[in-house]
Amino acid sequence: IENTALASNPDPKKKHEYAYGDKNGRIHIRNEQHTETLPSTGQEIKSVSFSTDGNRFYAATKKGAIFKYDYANYRAGIKSDSIKTQIRKEDGTPVYFVREWDEKHLLICNTNEIRFLCKPEAPDTVYQEFKYAQIDLPAVRRTDWTADHNWFLATGQDGTVIYRVDSSVINNLGPNKSNIRETARIMHPNTTMTCVAIKIDSIGKVWLALGSEEGKIWLAAAKNLSLLTDGCSIDDTKWFTPYSNVHETSISGIRFNEKLPQMATSDAYGFVYFWNLNNPGAAYDRIRVRGRGESITTIAYINPDELVAFETISVWEVKANIRALKEEVENLVKHKMRQ
C-alpha cells in the first residue's frame, strides 16, 4: 500500500517514534518495539503531525478533512475510536500541511491558501477557520516552518514565499481582519522547487535550503533574520551557494538536524546525502546512503542520530552521522565476538 505522509514525534522522551499515513487512510505509529495502527480516517492521508509535547496527533486528508487524535490516551491503553475527533469537515481540497501552533490553534495549507483553525468551546468539535493568506505562486510544491513556529515558507514554481506567524498574528485572528504577514520572497524564475527547509539554530543563525526538479540544491546561511525579511534571488551569492554536482535527479526531501550542524537531502533515484554544515562544500564530508532501489518521496529525522526515508511502498531507517554509525558497528563487532 502506498505511503503518503510522514512525521516524527518531537517529544524528547520519545527518541525513536514516528508516524506515517497511507493511501487507504490508515495511520501507523512506529517506535523501537513495534508498529501500531490508529483508527482509520477513511480517506487518503496527505499530512500528519504531532504536537510539540507529543500528546496530540493530527491527520489531514486528500478531501480536506482533518482529524485530531488524543495520543496521550492512546498510549495509556485506550485503543477505540473515542480518541479520534474530526475537527475540520471535508471540502474537496487536499490539505498538504497541518501543524499545531499551540494547543488551541492549527496552521494548515492547501494548494494555494494558508489558514488558521481555532479550537471552539465544548461541546463543539469542528474548529473555527480563518483565512490567513492567499499564496501568490503558480503552484505550491512544498512547505516548512521553523521549530519555534514563527516563520512559514511555501515554495514551488518561480518563487518561495516567507510568512511571519508569531503570537501577534494569533491574537489578531478573526473575521474581516487582515492577518497577512508575507515578509519576503526568494525569486527563482523558470525554476520549480520541489523542497524547502528552514532552521534557526541555537545562536540565531538562519539556515535555508531549496531543492529543484533538476536535482540542484541552494543553501543559505544568514547571521540574522534579514534573509527572511529583505527578500532576494537564488542567484544572489550574498545569500545562496548552489550545489549542482550532488544529486542527479529531482530533490524529494530536505531536512535540517535540529540538534547537530547537519542537513539531509534525498532524491528520486533513492539516495540520501548527509551534509556537514560546518563544511557543506566538501564532497568528502558528505555521507551517501542508498535505500532499497525505489524512489524516495520524503525524509524526516527521528532524532539527531537517525533518519527515516519514505519509499513508494516501504519505509527504512538509517543512522544519520559518523558517531551513530560508529556505535552501530561497535555493537555488531561485540555481538560477533560473543558468538
Side-chain angles (χ1 to χ4, degrees):
I1 294 177
E2 183 178 344
N3 298 316
T4 54
L6 173 67
S8 56
N9 191 340
D11 180 1
K13 297 177 182 177
K14 299 293 179 181
K15 294 183 178 181
H16 189 104
E17 187 169 74
Y18 58 92
Y20 55 98
D22 65 32
K23 208 162 186 175
N24 286 354
R26 294 180 301 182
I27 299 159
H28 313 277
I29 307 290
R30 173 74 179 167
N31 56 41
E32 287 180 301
Q33 284 76 41
H34 51 268
T35 301
E36 294 187 280
T37 301
L38 295 179
S40 174
T41 67
Q43 302 175 20
E44 179 180 338
I45 306 296
K46 285 297 183 184
S47 179
V48 293
S49 63
F50 289 90
S51 60
T52 304
D53 60 11
N55 287 331
R56 293 165 299 283
F57 181 83
Y58 301 91
T61 74
K62 184 177 181 179
K63 294 182 179 180
I66 297 176
F67 297 84
K68 175 184 176 181
Y69 293 81
D70 186 338
Y71 191 53
N73 276 340
Y74 183 82
R75 287 187 304 204
I78 299 174
K79 307 296 185 181
S80 70
D81 271 351
S82 64
I83 67 164
K84 181 182 73 173
T85 304
Q86 185 169 350
I87 60 174
R88 185 178 193 257
K89 295 180 180 179
E90 62 184 69
D91 61 2
T93 302
V95 172
Y96 295 103
F97 182 95
V98 56
R99 298 291 187 277
E100 186 181 278
W101 196 91
D102 62 19
E103 192 171 350
K104 294 185 177 180
H105 300 92
L106 295 179
L107 183 72
I108 70 170
C109 182
N110 57 29
T111 51
N112 59 4
E113 282 186 350
I114 304 170
R115 292 178 173 267
F116 275 102
L117 303 186
C118 303
K119 186 178 181 180
E121 299 296 327
D124 294 332
T125 58
V126 176
Y127 280 34
Q128 292 178 286
E129 189 164 333
F130 301 105
K131 180 179 176 180
Y132 173 64
Q134 186 83 19
I135 304 175
D136 186 19
L137 291 175
V140 176
R141 295 290 295 271
R142 277 299 170 89
T143 54
D144 196 23
W145 74 346
T146 52
D148 63 8
H149 304 178
N150 285 340
W151 299 91
F152 179 83
L153 282 74
T155 194
Q157 184 180 335
D158 296 339
T160 298
V161 191
I162 302 168
Y163 297 91
R164 181 79 172 174
V165 286
D166 59 14
S167 58
S168 65
V169 173
I170 299 294
N171 295 334
N172 195 44
L173 287 174
N176 304 316
K177 290 187 177 181
S178 176
N179 298 312
I180 298 177
R181 290 286 192 89
E182 179 183 325
T183 60
R185 285 190 174 228
I186 299 167
M187 303 308 298
H188 37 85
N190 303 315
T191 300
T192 297
M193 298 298 178
T194 52
C195 289
V196 61
I198 184 170
K199 168 186 173 179
I200 301 178
D201 66 20
S202 58
I203 61 172
K205 191 173 185 178
V206 178
W207 294 91
L208 195 155
L210 294 163
S212 74
E213 283 183 329
E214 292 76 28
K216 196 171 182 178
I217 300 286
W218 287 263
L219 179 63
K223 294 180 180 179
N224 52 50
L225 296 175
S226 57
L227 173 63
L228 305 181
T229 58
D230 295 349
C232 62
S233 163
I234 56 169
D235 297 324
D236 188 345
T237 54
K238 172 187 175 183
W239 298 115
F240 283 96
T241 301
Y243 297 93
S244 57
N245 59 349
V246 181
H247 293 275
E248 296 179 359
T249 188
S250 179
I251 306 301
S252 60
I254 304 177
R255 286 290 182 268
F256 285 108
N257 191 317
E258 289 296 332
K259 300 296 183 182
L260 301 173
Q262 185 189 65
M263 174 179 76
T265 59
S266 63
D267 64 35
Y269 283 167
F271 289 101
V272 174
Y273 284 83
F274 294 102
W275 304 56
N276 179 0
L277 294 181
N278 291 326
N279 195 13
Y284 66 83
D285 225 354
R286 297 186 204 117
I287 301 173
R288 187 180 81 161
V289 180
R290 187 170 191 189
R292 299 167 181 169
E294 302 174 30
S295 174
I296 293 175
T297 56
T298 190
I299 54 176
Y301 278 98
I302 309 171
N303 55 55
D305 293 330
E306 295 176 292
L307 180 129
V308 58
F310 232 37
E311 294 178 335
T312 308
I313 58 172
S314 60
V315 180
W316 55 278
E317 301 167 15
V318 62
K319 300 298 182 184
N321 54 60
I322 295 297
R323 180 185 65 191
L325 287 169
K326 179 175 178 288
E327 291 175 358
E328 185 175 53
V329 170
E330 287 176 346
N331 289 334
L332 286 172
V333 171
K334 290 176 182 177
H335 178 73
K336 195 73 174 175
M337 291 175 67
R338 287 195 296 266
Q339 289 182 336

